[in-house]
Structure formats: structure tokens, C-alpha cells
Amino acid sequence: MRCRNGHTNLKIPQDIQVHVVNTNFTLRWNYTGNDANVTFSAEYRWFDDSEPNDMEWKKLPGCQNVTGTECDFSSAITKYYDTHYVRIRAERREEVSSWSSIFEMIPSLIAQIGPPGIQLQSTNGVIKIKVSPPEANQVQKMWIDQSSFRYNLVIWENASNAEFRSQSIFPTDVIDGLAPDTTYCLKVQATLPLDSQEGFFSPVRCVKTTRKVNDLLCATNVRVLALNMKFHLHWNNRYKQHVSYNVQYLIGYLKMLHDDYSAKWINVAGCENITDTQCNFSSIITTTGFYYLRVQAVNEYNKSCLSNEVKVDPLITNEIGPPDVTVDISDMLLHIQISPPGDRESEVMREHYDLSYRLLYWKNSSNNEEEVKTKEIKQTIATVSDLTSATLYCVKVQAFSEVYNKSSSYSKEKCIKTPGDKLLPLIILATFATALIVVCLVATLLVFVLYQAYNKIKYVFFPSCQPPLNIEGFGPQLFSSPYLSATEELVENCSVMEPVITEAVNQFDFKDYQHSKESSRDSGNYSNDDDTSESKASEETLVKEIV
Amino acid sequence: MNALGLIQVGLILSCTTTIISSLHCNHLPLQQRKVVENSLQLLDKMGKKFPQQCLREKTSFRFPERVLKPRQKETVKAAIEEIFQHIFYIFSKNLTLAAWDGTALEQFQNGLYRQIEQLEACVIKKQSHYFWSKEVNRLKLKKYFKKIDCFLKDKQHNLCSWEISRAEMRKCLQLVDKVIRKLNN
């Protein structure tokens, strides 16, 4: 049994490093001591979640009795997510050094991405490139998910080495924007953005571009116009003879896979063998997907040409159309009803865009327009309350999506007038009624005054008092004649008559004539009173007569 | 470069790039919710009810839920991107024996991939990807999906293995759905 002595002159290997490219594991170290006849052997162990007790050191295959300062131990490692520990020591015949410091590693974290493979084809002024992933044909892979690779291309003109351009490419792609008949050199690296990893570049390949043949048959200027989730593809035709078109689409994610997708283009229903230079492809669109579209032009000799591809990301490509607005007024409130853009697609758009509406309203007066007010709402009904009466208000609405930074054009303006003051008719009515009453009163008063005047006049000019029949010399002529002198005489006559009658009466009936006595007495003392009382009496009889 | 230095760099990056990211990725939260909802619907649509005969083959894969609860919000986004990437990869394998609805499957893949692309395109990616690459739970996530991949390979992608995987992916997406809703509230 050979003794392995811990205390030895052999130096311990230093600076242990592990380099991993794809699944190739290389152990490297430094040895400062005398390396004559010295070999190195390594051990390893790993920490497995399922078997925590298995922590024994094992011999590292591929790194036993190694003469240089590096070894390949790829065959030993299979658990790429587990922590591994490696240590190494120097050996010379029976002597062994102490074990080096332990190198700890998780393979997937220190692994680097190897270079991808490239296939090039130079045709029609462009370079067609097909990238094969690192570990393309390997059974055991470090990078299992090949679809997560993103490829970065670096290309430059061979002649002018300085200027190079860098772009991301699909596994199968076309590099254009190149000058014809020029030699270009390029290299590609695979990256894993999620792992913050950039792999090794492929070896540089150089290729010469051909001349570009401008085939008039091909459809050009292929573009998408989309409004309210109705998608239309438009293109231009430069071919003079008869040409028919097939519009084809590809489900977006297929471009990302390494598999050949050339057979996976599908004709859009309703756009096969058409002569029109536009196509409605809304039928193939779903809101959560994305697509590529191209136009295949075919002439009468069955020669075809494929146009450029257009990428369609439905919610981003689509434009929102204007909404419709109706206005109504009631009780000094302006009610605004918005009908969302799109008919059947309106619900889809509202949901995916999280649509809101911007309301603009202003007073439309004959002089310069007043300040425009804005309101932003989520619902399709709005009410404006701070209105002035008898004013014309105008409204227009725009739909917008804040998150997608998209807004529609404004709807047509709708105007409506607020009603006048309700109080005014009442005032008019009240005024009229009052005026009516006043007029009636005035009229009544006037009539009354006129009547009184009439009576007076009639009394003065046309008295009804008849003199007694025993007055001589008077008779009707006297009463019919006018005015002044006759009146005096009349009065006098009446006053003269009275005392005579009174005395005569007294002789016959004392009672009956008491009144007259009193009156005569009165008349005796107060001649004026006499007159007035007499005249009053006559007036009364006059009045009675008239009545 | 010590951890403190890394944190400092990270903080500076996060301050400057937060504003930029909001300009480019505004629609992402809404879109993500829609994609996950849609994906769950399509998962149901592509096949029939879980076959009874496959019940005994059911394996517990133990999704590492902690990966969706890291300290930083940005790391969660990278975690979701990686989950979508893994699910996309699994469903790109040989599915002939599963006999599922091809159209539903295509739409499922398409929606997932578009979301992955959008997440990558967000300006903040460099910073969040960097932190994600250092995340401890990332390895657990990789192991989880590798386990499913190995399971499918061992069973030669037969019907039961596909149905079990489909059910497992459904659970996974539902967890992601919950996290997305919490993130954006």
C-alpha cells in the first residue's frame, strides 16, 4: 500500500477556472512549482436536491493524470442546474500535493453560448441567410430552448472595413439594403436576453451580392390600412400585361422557429386570384396575435413573384375611427350620447384599447367663438350642467386610447340651443293681466264720471221740475226757455208759494203740518236754509220725476 | 465589482430608465392581462376534458411560486417573460399524439410569442434582465420546466403526458394571471 503523505514538497495548483461553452467543460489551473513529471488529478462532487446525502468526492473523468494545465471533463457533468464542486491536486509518483481550493459552480450560470452555424445565398441583390442554432445536432444540450435565441448579425463591406452595421435577424431571414455587385462580410452571434448572455460569434463569412433585377411583375409598396379593426392590404401594380394576385399570410410566431416555414403561408380567403390591388383580410385577424402578409403576383405564363412582407400587429396597426354623437337638452342640462366607433368591433376595441372619450363643447355665438371646454370620460353618456339660457352650444367627441397612445379624428359637430328664460312668459302674462285690470278700472271710473257729468248737465240745462198749474203767466214757455233768469225766477216762485200753503194747511190739520211748521219756522229764521231746503225738496221731486 | 457597486449601478439605471420605459411600454400591462386571459381560454378550447385514464400518471411538478414574489417589481416582469418563453417552448414540441385543435394551438402560441416579443422590446429590459439573471429562484424555474420537458420525453409525448402538461401549464398561467392583476393595481 502506497502511503500518501499530506506533507509534501509538491505545490498546490492555483487559480482554478472552469470554462464552459455549450456543454464543453474545461478545467484550467496554474502551477508555479517544478512541473517535471508532475501530473494532475481532479475530484468533484455535486449537490443534488433529490439526494442530499450523496456528497462524496468522486474522480473527475477526463481530468485524471493530466500533464498539461487544462482538461476536458464534459462527460462528467449532466445536471446543469445543480451546484458542483471541483478540486485538483498535483501528483508525482507517490507524492501528492494537498487539494487545491474548491471551485464551486452552477454549470448553466457560467456556460457561454457557442457560435451558431450560417448558410448564405446571394440572390437578386440581397443575401438570404439561414442560421442554425448552437448545439444544432447535439443530443445533450445546455440550451434546450432554441426558440429563445435571438440572433445578432454584424455586416460590413469588405472593401471599407470600418463601417459595419448590426441588426437582429430571424433564423431564416433576408438581408437587404445592400449595394449590388459588392462583397460583404458578416458574422452572427446567438444571444439569450433573459440570461443576459451574448454568445460567441460564428466565423466570418464573405459573399458577393448580385445585380438587382427589377421585376415589374412584383407588387410594390405593400401597405396596410386598418380602421376600426377592418384590415385592408393595398399595393401597386407596375405590370403592363394581365396579372392576378394571391394574398398570403403567415402566423407570426412561425418566423421565430428554426423550422422551415415557407410551406406555412396560407392564402387569405377572398383574395385568391384577384385582379384588384387591394384585399380585406380582417377574417384572419385575432386581437392577441400578430401576422405577416405578402402578395404573390402571377402572370399568364404562371411566372410568379413574391412581394415584400408586411408585419401586422393588429392593435398597433389599427386606427380608431371617430365616434357618433347625439345631443339633447332638458331642464338646462345638455345630454350627450356617444355611440362608440366600429359597429360589431366596438366592444372588442373598447375592451382591448381601454377606450375613453374626449368631449369638446363651446358656445357658438355670432361674435368670435368662446372658450372651448374639455371633458374626458370613460362612459358613453355625459351631462353638462353649467349652461346659459338661450345659447347655441356645439359638441364634438374623439375616442382615444391612453395606453396605446392612439386617438381617433373628431366626430361631426352637433349643435343645440338652450331654451329661453321660463320666467319671461309669466311676466308678460302678469303684465297683461294687470294692464287689463287697470284699463277696466279706468274705464269704469270714466264711465261713472261721465254719467255724473251727464246728470249734472241734464239737471242744469234740462230740469224736470214742473211749476204748479195755478201759476199764471208762466206756463210751459217759461220752462222751456233757457237759462239764467228763468232759474232765479223759478226759485223765487217756489219759495214764495211755500208759506201760503203752510198756513193754509195749519188751519185744517195741526199734526200733519208739524213738519212743515218746523220747516217754516226754520225757513223763517234762516232764509238761506229756507231756500236750500225748498230747493232740495224740489230737487227730490225733480229727481223722482226723472226716475 | 462587489454587490454594493452592483446595487448602485442598478439604482442609477433604474432611475434613468423608468421614465423611458413608461413611454414605450404603456400598453403592456393591459395587453398582458388580455393575453393571459386569452391563453387560458385557448388552453381549454384546444382539447377536451382531462381524460380519466391519465389520472394515475399524474405527477407533481411543484411550480416555484416564490419566483413570482421577488423583492423587485421589474424582476417579476422578467420572470413572467421567462415563464411565457418556457411555455412557448413546451408547446412547440411534437403534438401529433395530443390530437388537439390546431387553430386554437396556433393562436395560443402566437399570442404568447407576441407577448414575449413585446416584453423584450421594452426599453427597461437590460436592467431588469440583468437583475433577473442574478435571481436565485430563476434556477428553480428552469428546473421546473426541465422536469416537464423530461417527463414529456420519457413518455414519448403520448396523449396522457400532454394532457398532464396542459393541466400543469394551466395552473402556471393562472398564477401568472393573479400576479399580473396585482402588479397593475
Side-chain angles (χ1 to χ4, degrees):
Chain A
M1 189 169 115
R2 274 188 281 184
C3 293
R4 298 267 178 195
N5 196 349
H7 304 291
T8 173
N9 293 328
L10 276 179
K11 279 220 151 118
I12 306 167
Q14 306 280 318
D15 305 325
I16 299 183
Q17 290 167 6
V18 173
H19 283 174
V20 187
V21 177
N22 294 344
T23 53
N24 299 320
F25 291 81
T26 311
L27 183 67
R28 293 199 180 103
W29 61 93
N30 283 339
Y31 193 63
T32 49
N34 179 13
D35 54 1
N37 296 330
V38 170
T39 59
F40 302 92
S41 291
E43 278 183 346
Y44 77 117
R45 69 179 182 190
W46 77 92
F47 188 74
D48 191 348
D49 292 333
S50 53
E51 294 164 57
N53 294 326
D54 187 12
M55 288 282 276
E56 278 182 28
W57 287 101
K58 297 186 181 75
K59 279 200 169 78
L60 188 61
C63 289
Q64 299 301 306
N65 301 325
V66 173
T67 45
T69 52
E70 72 173 53
C71 62
D72 185 329
F73 61 99
S74 312
S75 55
I77 311 293
T78 50
K79 307 277 191 190
Y80 300 134
Y81 302 125
D82 295 338
T83 312
H84 291 69
Y85 304 90
V86 179
R87 64 183 184 181
I88 194 167
R89 67 180 177 188
E91 291 166 353
R92 190 198 285 145
R93 284 177 289 219
E94 281 96 33
E95 272 186 284
V96 286
S97 70
S98 302
W99 284 109
S100 66
S101 54
I102 299 171
F103 184 87
E104 184 186 325
M105 64 158 187
I106 300 173
S108 63
L109 290 186
I110 61 167
Q112 291 176 289
I113 308 170
I118 310 180
Q119 274 179 298
L120 297 175
Q121 187 193 355
S122 175
T123 139
N124 202 19
V126 296
I127 301 173
K128 286 192 180 171
I129 184 167
K130 185 161 163 56
V131 183
S132 45
E135 308 180 300
N137 296 315
Q138 274 177 241
V139 175
Q140 181 98 326
K141 290 191 177 69
M142 173 67 72
W143 318 106
I144 318 165
D145 183 6
Q146 294 180 338
S147 64
S148 56
F149 282 127
R150 303 285 177 256
Y151 297 106
N152 184 32
L153 168 86
V154 175
I155 186 167
W156 64 93
E157 259 182 79
N158 198 14
S160 61
N161 231 345
E163 200 182 298
F164 66 90
R165 99 175 179 219
S166 176
Q167 65 186 78
S168 57
I169 56 169
F170 292 111
T172 310
D173 214 332
V174 169
I175 312 163
D176 52 15
L178 304 170
D181 281 331
T182 323
T183 306
Y184 285 92
C185 290
L186 53 89
K187 59 183 184 179
V188 180
Q189 76 178 152
T191 68
L192 285 175
L194 275 168
D195 292 52
S196 282
Q197 273 257 36
E198 286 188 357
F200 286 101
F201 273 102
S202 67
V204 175
R205 291 274 302 274
C206 295
V207 69
K208 189 171 180 185
T209 53
T210 61
R211 278 187 58 219
K212 202 175 182 96
V213 176
N214 202 2
D215 193 350
L216 289 172
L217 175 64
C218 306
T220 55
N221 195 16
V222 183
R223 60 209 180 273
V224 179
L225 293 170
L227 185 71
N228 289 340
M229 300 306 278
K230 290 261 193 288
F231 292 84
H232 292 264
L233 193 71
H234 293 259
W235 59 93
N236 294 354
N237 174 25
R238 296 173 305 168
Y239 201 59
K240 303 298 172 199
Q241 285 99 53
H242 173 79
V243 58
S244 65
Y245 300 103
N246 285 324
V247 178
Q248 300 174 324
Y249 77 98
L250 181 74
I251 298 184
Y253 80 93
L254 291 171
K255 255 195 186 247
M256 210 33 244
L257 302 177
H258 290 85
D259 309 326
D260 186 16
Y261 58 82
S262 54
K264 301 205 175 147
W265 287 89
I266 308 169
N267 284 337
V268 174
C271 296
E272 294 169 79
N273 239 336
I274 56 169
T275 47
D276 205 3
T277 56
Q278 60 152 348
C279 164
N280 179 354
F281 62 94
S282 313
S283 56
I284 59 126
I285 298 287
T286 59
T287 45
T288 49
F290 72 111
Y291 308 87
Y292 289 90
L293 271 102
R294 71 182 186 188
V295 182
Q296 180 191 46
V298 184
N299 68 3
E300 57 244 339
Y301 306 109
N302 267 344
K303 178 179 170 225
S304 71
C305 171
L306 292 168
S307 72
N308 291 337
E309 295 164 7
V310 178
K311 183 178 177 183
V312 178
D313 195 331
L315 291 172
I316 294 176
T317 314
N318 179 56
E319 287 305 321
I320 309 173
D324 272 327
V325 63
T326 48
V327 286
D328 191 23
I329 291 229
S330 70
D331 291 332
M332 289 305 281
L333 289 172
L334 181 64
H335 297 289
I336 301 163
Q337 177 92 22
I338 305 170
S339 43
D343 10 70
R344 279 170 300 170
E345 304 79 22
S346 62
E347 186 53 36
V348 165
M349 289 213 291
R350 187 197 60 79
E351 197 187 316
H352 281 88
Y353 281 120
D354 194 24
L355 277 184
S356 305
Y357 298 98
R358 192 171 289 121
L359 203 54
L360 261 62
Y361 61 100
W362 64 94
K363 289 184 207 171
N364 197 0
S365 43
S366 50
N367 50 345
N368 30 314
E369 285 186 18
E370 297 199 20
E371 177 203 331
V372 178
K373 293 196 191 141
T374 317
K375 212 172 178 184
E376 285 182 12
I377 50 168
K378 263 255 153 61
Q379 316 88 322
T380 50
I381 329 173
T383 311
V384 175
S385 55
D386 54 335
L387 302 176
T388 52
S389 58
T391 326
L392 187 69
Y393 279 92
C394 288
V395 173
K396 67 180 180 184
V397 182
Q398 143 189 89
F400 72 97
S401 168
E402 196 181 323
V403 289
Y404 278 91
N405 197 19
K406 275 188 184 292
S407 53
S408 72
S409 50
Y410 279 97
S411 67
K412 277 191 237 171
E413 279 178 25
K414 287 280 166 78
C415 297
I416 194 164
K417 194 159 184 176
T418 50
D421 216 340
K422 270 228 166 114
L423 214 51
L424 193 61
L426 281 172
I427 292 172
I428 294 169
L429 198 68
T431 317
F432 175 71
T434 316
L436 193 68
I437 292 166
V438 165
V439 164
C440 285
L441 278 171
V442 166
T444 316
L445 204 68
L446 200 67
V447 162
F448 180 71
V449 164
L450 282 173
Y451 177 69
Q452 289 298 318
Y454 169 71
N455 271 347
K456 288 278 184 223
I457 292 167
K458 191 170 182 231
Y459 175 73
V460 166
F461 292 104
F462 309 99
S464 59
C465 203
Q466 298 282 340
L469 291 166
N470 57 357
I471 293 172
E472 287 177 11
F474 290 99
Q477 313 109 313
L478 203 59
F479 297 106
S480 62
S481 68
Y483 211 35
L484 286 162
S485 52
T487 314
E488 281 180 29
E489 278 184 288
L490 199 69
V491 170
E492 275 182 37
N493 282 338
C494 287
S495 60
V496 167
M497 295 301 286
E498 178 54 32
V500 175
I501 297 168
T502 311
E503 280 173 14
V505 165
N506 272 334
Q507 284 172 354
F508 298 107
D509 192 0
F510 186 74
K511 276 183 196 172
D512 287 330
Y513 300 109
Q514 253 180 327
H515 291 292
S516 31
K517 242 190 192 175
E518 283 168 14
S519 60
S520 68
R521 237 184 265 149
D522 290 335
S523 62
N525 291 329
Y526 304 100
S527 57
N528 286 335
D529 285 339
D530 256 345
D531 290 344
T532 43
S533 64
E534 290 302 329
S535 59
K536 269 187 191 163
S538 65
E539 273 185 39
E540 279 166 20
T541 36
L542 244 166
V543 170
K544 278 179 196 163
E545 278 181 2
I546 292 170
V547 172
Chain B
M1 205 179 183
N2 57 9
L4 189 65
L6 278 174
I7 291 165
Q8 282 176 339
V9 168
L11 277 171
I12 295 165
L13 275 173
S14 67
C15 288
T16 48
T17 52
T18 317
I19 306 159
I20 305 166
S21 78
S22 62
L23 292 175
H24 291 257
C25 302
N26 260 350
H27 60 277
L28 216 60
L30 174 64
Q31 199 187 76
Q32 246 181 356
R33 274 205 311 271
K34 293 293 167 201
V35 164
V36 174
E37 271 173 31
N38 201 46
S39 299
L40 283 166
Q41 282 172 15
L42 286 166
L43 262 183
D44 287 337
K45 195 174 156 191
M46 59 175 88
K48 297 186 202 65
K49 228 178 73 169
F50 189 84
Q52 290 293 321
Q53 71 265 29
C54 298
L55 272 171
R56 47 193 148 86
E57 289 186 48
K58 234 177 168 202
T59 324
S60 157
F61 294 104
R62 283 196 307 250
F63 178 78
E65 290 190 36
R66 288 198 59 180
V67 80
L68 290 170
K69 295 169 193 166
R71 274 155 284 165
Q72 284 154 324
K73 194 172 162 177
E74 290 313 312
T75 321
V76 174
K77 286 191 188 157
I80 292 170
E81 186 186 335
E82 178 134 9
I83 291 170
F84 283 165
Q85 183 67 57
H86 282 292
I87 298 176
F88 177 80
Y89 165 70
I90 287 179
F91 281 91
S92 63
K93 300 270 113 198
N94 183 5
L95 283 148
T96 41
L97 290 173
W100 286 335
D101 177 5
T103 315
L105 183 63
E106 274 181 345
Q107 285 179 5
F108 174 79
Q109 291 288 74
N110 209 17
L112 265 182
Y113 186 74
R114 173 162 161 264
Q115 198 53 33
I116 294 166
E117 207 185 34
Q118 300 268 346
L119 280 162
E120 269 178 30
C122 275
V123 178
I124 207 168
K125 74 164 179 158
K126 289 209 170 71
Q127 187 238 325
S128 61
H129 283 166
Y130 176 77
F131 280 119
W132 172 244
S133 66
K134 300 276 171 270
E135 174 65 42
V136 160
N137 290 310
R138 187 167 69 103
L139 271 179
K140 291 200 179 136
L141 192 66
K142 283 190 194 279
K143 278 193 192 175
Y144 167 80
F145 281 104
K146 181 142 193 217
K147 209 167 162 189
I148 297 174
D149 191 36
C150 289
F151 171 75
L152 280 165
K153 276 202 186 94
D154 292 341
K155 302 279 181 189
Q156 281 113 40
H157 296 93
N158 67 7
L159 173 70
C160 278
S161 64
W162 271 122
E163 288 292 343
I164 292 166
S165 303
R166 181 166 76 114
E168 187 67 31
M169 290 303 96
R170 191 164 209 292
K171 260 193 268 177
C172 187
L173 276 174
Q174 274 169 334
L175 274 165
V176 172
D177 189 31
K178 260 193 231 166
V179 170
I180 289 174
R181 282 176 199 279
K182 232 187 262 179
L183 254 182
N184 299 316
N185 280 343

